[in-house]
Amino acid sequence: MSESSERDTRHKARMQRKKAVVDEKIAEAQDEYGLLLVHTGNGKGKSSSAFGMVARALGHGIKVGVVQFIKGAASTGEESFFRRFPDEVRYHVMGEGFTWETQDRQRDIAKAREAWGVAAQLLADPEIGLVVLDELNIALKYGYLELDPILADIESRPLLQHVVVTGRGAPPGLIEAADTVTEMSLVKHAFKAGVKAQKGVEF
């Protein structure tokens, strides 16, 4: 038997063993309920991942609610796109820009509280299958909102409703409450090389 043939045989045996393990885990995982997902960390892709889930949900006929807590000073590609589906996506831009741009903590607090009022309505709506709370972590990090009432609203949502929270610096209590947590780590970013944010990539 040639070296290539032996390698192919070993690969097939490994994949057969792996398939048996994976099939067993799939058979055991039978629970189904709404998940709380948190996308945090300093790396790029937290909101992008959440909006990928919005597209996925729409593909399955699931209605979506989006509340953006910080962003809002300028339109983004995802906002422009998902507003094309007003019957399927309730899209709310509630922020007035990044915190270093607004420079008005009391106004930021007021806007964050207003945004949570909208988010709470979405979380109480059984017709909404996915709620994206974009940059909520930033509002929590700066103390614009208190975590406990937010967790209470999330916990009392409809049984099958999924929630995605994005933003750097997710608080420990939110991480503990979440079902799935992904931390995006920064390895390299074009901005550090002097490349400006560009349409279709950053916004």
Side-chain angles (χ1 to χ4, degrees):
M1 184 181 292
S2 68
E3 182 178 340
S4 178
S5 296
E6 289 180 2
R7 185 175 181 182
D8 291 345
T9 300
R10 290 195 302 270
H11 175 79
K12 183 175 182 178
R14 281 198 306 272
M15 292 304 106
Q16 287 175 338
R17 292 193 298 270
K18 184 172 184 176
K19 181 180 183 336
V21 171
V22 171
D23 287 348
E24 182 179 356
K25 289 185 180 295
I26 291 174
E28 292 173 352
Q30 294 300 311
D31 292 345
E32 185 176 359
Y33 54 84
L35 300 177
L36 171 58
L37 301 94
V38 175
H39 299 168
T40 192
N42 294 329
K44 173 176 166 47
K46 297 177 288 295
S47 295
S48 300
S49 177
F51 285 112
M53 291 182 65
V54 172
R56 179 180 292 161
L58 293 178
H60 288 289
I62 298 171
K63 291 186 177 181
V64 179
V66 176
V67 179
Q68 293 192 289
F69 281 81
I70 302 297
K71 298 166 184 171
S75 180
T76 60
E78 53 263 31
E79 178 189 352
S80 298
F81 179 74
F82 287 117
R83 284 198 186 277
R84 298 177 188 175
F85 309 95
D87 294 333
E88 291 85 15
V89 182
R90 299 184 197 172
Y91 205 112
H92 302 273
V93 179
M94 305 297 293
E96 293 186 325
F98 295 105
T99 53
W100 60 85
E101 295 286 357
T102 61
Q103 300 179 13
D104 186 336
R105 185 170 185 273
Q106 290 305 315
R107 187 168 177 82
D108 289 341
I109 290 172
K111 293 298 292 183
R113 289 177 177 171
E114 182 184 349
W116 188 255
V118 173
Q121 292 177 13
L122 294 173
L123 290 167
D125 189 340
E127 290 191 359
I128 302 293
L130 174 66
V131 177
V132 174
L133 305 172
D134 190 39
E135 302 292 357
L136 173 59
N137 286 336
I138 301 299
L140 293 169
K141 177 181 177 181
Y142 284 107
Y144 298 165
L145 297 169
E146 294 183 9
L147 179 60
D148 288 346
I150 284 174
L151 288 179
D153 285 344
I154 291 174
E155 183 65 27
S156 63
R157 73 192 188 275
L159 180 63
L160 295 179
Q161 187 185 80
H162 303 295
V163 179
V164 186
V165 178
T166 74
R168 299 180 182 209
L174 179 61
I175 290 174
E176 183 178 349
D179 298 287
T180 300
V181 179
T182 301
E183 184 170 2
M184 311 290 190
S185 62
L186 179 63
V187 176
K188 189 176 184 180
H189 200 295
F191 182 70
K192 288 192 174 181
V195 181
K196 70 178 184 179
Q198 299 178 74
K199 292 180 180 179
V201 180
E202 276 83 26
F203 63 93

